[in-house]
Amino acid sequence: MPRIAIIGAGITGVTSAYALSKLGYHVTVYDRQRYPAMETSYANGGQLSASNAEVWNSTATIMKGLRWLGRHNAPLLLNPRFSWHKYSWLAQFIGQIRNYRRNTIETTRLAIAARQHLYAMAEEEGIDFDLERRGILHIYHDAASFETARRANALLQEGGLERYAVSPEEARSIEPTLQTACHGGFYTPSDATGDIHKFTSGLARACERRGVRFAQDADIRNISLDGAPYVLDVVREGGTRREQHEADAIVVCAGAVSRQFARQLGDTLNIYPVKGYSISVHLDDAASQAAAPRVSLLDEAAKIVTSRLGDRFRVAGTAEFNGFNMDIRAERVQPLVDWTRKHFPGIRTSRVVPWCGLRPMTPSMMPRVGPGRRPGVFYNTGHGHLGWTLSAATAQMLAASVREGVGEA
Ligand SMILES: Cc1cc2nc3c(=O)[nH]c(=O)nc-3n(C[C@H](O)[C@H](O)[C@H](O)COP(=O)(O)OP(=O)(O)OC[C@H]3O[C@@H](n4cnc5c(N)ncnc54)[C@H](O)[C@@H]3O)c2cc1C
């Protein structure tokens, strides 16, 4: 039976492992962290959001981005220092404007398809991940952005999504804790939220029960390509041991690092690490719990998303083009705290845990799923700002591609 090595134990790697184990393959997942889901799949916005499927490749988004440049607390930050990776990625991003319509519709379809797989996995394996199926309310603060949103909404509807406009009063009745006024909103009843880290960790345990092996604290430094099988050069436990592991097929799910693996394996895969931040506000008292929304929100002007994860309120946003930088900067965290205080003044913000992560983003914002050039090489990566939403569907696509490429288990 072919031995399959998956590189990365984030949401894409673990859902891939699960789908492949269901087909009967012998799977080992490698990750440089001690536990699964410790990098971008750790504390994201929590939204399972077909309603956020609009790709960013549009002139309107670029104009908005340019207006934000230079404002230190803007939702978008670009470090102008030259890097070939960053500027070639941005050039390709602009080149993808022509595919805006097609890619938005395709992402919507993928996001809708993902839901049933995700819920089925959670139910079959008994995974508790603070799921809230109360929909997502997208709020707009001015007439112009609301009208622009109508055009995007038509594409989401074309992709099969039920999403409708609501008045400020209707928005307030959907989420009564919302304290500030808005111009209007769009509501998607079928969207949901949940804790990506709890889900991925729970699914990893389910994979182990099914016979999947996890090699954690295992940094893959090199893949030897001198004929079958592939040999992985693995550095264990912070460099204390070096091991060689054989695999007949490789699945790259390494998030923002996937580009480096693709280059080694002879493929071109342009992924840029687009940094984002979140805060988890701990709702320690009854008043804060009552003041925090349960319906997930997306504030268009601030580009902030929220989700209620049990007794935590997750607020996430910002897109930073600054390479592989993982510093948690106070001036990027503060707008998230300020936003919470402004819209939900009844929530105590005395215990706030900040986090940052790198969205693995392709210029088209579409994930790369399927075979590479070499036999036995596959990808399921590049999910950008929607990895939590899309992975359950792309894992199925990946598993079908592996079966076609290496044969039945
Ligand atoms: C602020 C923020 C908010 C977000 N909000 C949402 C949201 O609301 N909804 C949504 O759908 N998506 C959201 N996302 C996007 C989503 O979180 C990501 O798309 C997703 O987590 C990416 O998963 P991944 O498996 O590709 O990458 P990761 O989770 O980063 O997994 C990659 C793994 O590869 C491992 N790895 C890398 N290099 C090596 C190596 N050399 N050897 C061994 N292992 C290696 C890493 O340790 C890591 O565990 C958000 C992202 C951010 C940053």
Side-chain angles (χ1 to χ4, degrees):
M1 194 199 299
R3 296 158 297 176
I4 301 179
I6 297 181
I7 306 176
I11 185 69
T12 58
V14 175
T15 49
S16 298
Y18 187 77
L20 288 169
S21 76
K22 281 237 159 182
L23 294 182
Y25 289 103
H26 185 294
V27 179
T28 305
V29 183
Y30 294 86
D31 201 290
R32 62 187 174 186
Q33 300 291 342
R34 181 158 290 205
Y35 314 103
M38 294 304 291
E39 296 208 357
T40 314
S41 305
Y42 185 74
N44 75 357
Q47 290 192 327
L48 294 160
S49 49
S51 58
N52 201 10
E54 182 189 7
V55 299
W56 300 353
N57 312 81
S58 73
T59 315
T61 304
I62 288 168
M63 296 313 288
K64 201 183 283 178
L66 289 173
R67 280 198 297 277
W68 279 330
L69 284 184
R71 249 183 57 197
H72 73 101
N73 59 354
L76 177 83
L77 191 130
L78 176 89
N79 179 344
R81 190 171 336 130
F82 182 78
S83 105
W84 173 250
H85 183 196
K86 182 168 50 194
Y87 285 100
S88 63
W89 187 96
L90 286 170
Q92 287 184 26
F93 176 87
I94 291 167
Q96 285 293 329
I97 290 177
R98 65 180 185 277
N99 296 321
Y100 162 81
R101 184 190 154 77
R102 188 191 70 197
N103 289 346
T104 296
I105 295 171
E106 176 58 23
T107 306
T108 311
R109 291 203 178 114
L110 210 50
I112 293 171
R115 291 169 176 163
Q116 297 323 315
H117 295 296
L118 186 104
Y119 297 149
M121 283 187 262
E123 199 171 304
E124 189 172 345
E125 304 298 342
I127 304 168
D128 172 14
F129 63 108
D130 294 326
L131 174 67
E132 288 279 0
R133 294 178 69 170
R134 292 173 195 254
I136 293 182
L137 178 63
H138 205 141
I139 53 172
Y140 302 83
H141 297 287
D142 60 87
S145 60
F146 191 57
E147 284 316 309
T148 309
R150 276 190 198 285
R151 288 195 284 279
N153 195 46
L155 299 183
L156 301 180
Q157 286 175 331
E158 212 176 313
L161 189 67
E162 188 208 345
R163 184 171 183 263
Y164 54 86
V166 292
S167 67
E169 296 72 35
E170 286 166 332
R172 186 74 67 82
S173 76
I174 289 167
E175 182 42 69
T177 62
L178 192 59
Q179 291 294 302
T180 43
C182 62
H183 177 84
F186 278 93
Y187 181 53
T188 312
S190 55
D191 271 343
T193 55
D195 186 326
I196 187 172
H197 181 252
K198 277 191 178 178
F199 179 87
T200 311
S201 308
L203 193 65
R205 285 191 292 273
C207 284
E208 280 182 310
R209 291 194 294 273
R210 292 181 164 276
V212 173
R213 283 194 55 236
F214 279 78
Q216 299 284 159
D217 257 333
D219 190 347
I220 304 207
R221 293 288 171 86
N222 187 43
I223 303 170
S224 126
L225 308 171
D226 318 328
Y230 292 103
V231 179
L232 309 180
D233 183 14
V234 188
V235 170
R236 304 300 301 262
E237 283 139 30
T240 51
R241 274 189 291 142
R242 206 159 191 137
E243 296 171 356
Q244 313 261 289
H245 291 219
E246 288 188 353
D248 304 299
I250 292 174
V251 181
V252 177
C253 297
V257 185
S258 296
R259 175 173 175 262
Q260 281 89 313
F261 282 108
R263 189 185 290 157
Q264 229 184 92
L265 293 164
D267 291 305
T268 306
L269 176 54
N270 198 358
I271 289 182
Y272 194 83
V274 180
K275 186 177 177 183
Y277 284 85
S278 78
I279 54 170
S280 298
V281 184
H282 286 258
L283 307 168
D284 290 326
D285 55 279
S288 294
Q289 283 167 20
R294 286 202 174 270
V295 170
S296 173
L297 303 173
L298 201 167
D299 182 331
E300 178 62 21
K303 292 283 178 204
I304 279 177
V305 304
T306 76
S307 48
R308 178 74 180 261
L309 306 169
D311 58 5
R312 292 161 300 153
F313 181 48
R314 177 76 48 78
V315 182
T318 78
E320 238 181 77
F321 289 79
N322 194 17
F324 284 86
N325 177 298
M326 290 293 284
D327 298 344
I328 298 185
R329 293 168 51 191
E331 77 260 33
R332 306 297 287 160
V333 174
Q334 195 57 41
L336 302 177
V337 179
D338 291 345
W339 185 93
T340 307
R341 289 177 177 165
K342 177 178 169 194
H343 294 282
F344 301 97
I347 299 177
R348 261 182 84 83
T349 48
S350 55
R351 195 153 73 96
V352 168
V353 181
W355 170 84
C356 74
L358 302 174
R359 301 176 185 90
M361 208 168 272
T362 65
S364 66
M365 303 194 65
M366 301 302 285
R368 166 85 177 266
V369 188
R373 261 192 219 151
R374 288 175 183 272
V377 170
F378 300 88
Y379 296 89
N380 181 15
T381 191
H383 296 58
H385 72 311
L386 280 184
W388 178 214
T389 302
L390 303 177
S391 291
T394 61
Q396 299 299 319
M397 293 158 60
L398 178 272
S401 170
V402 168
R403 186 164 49 182
E404 205 182 303
V406 307
E408 304 268 335

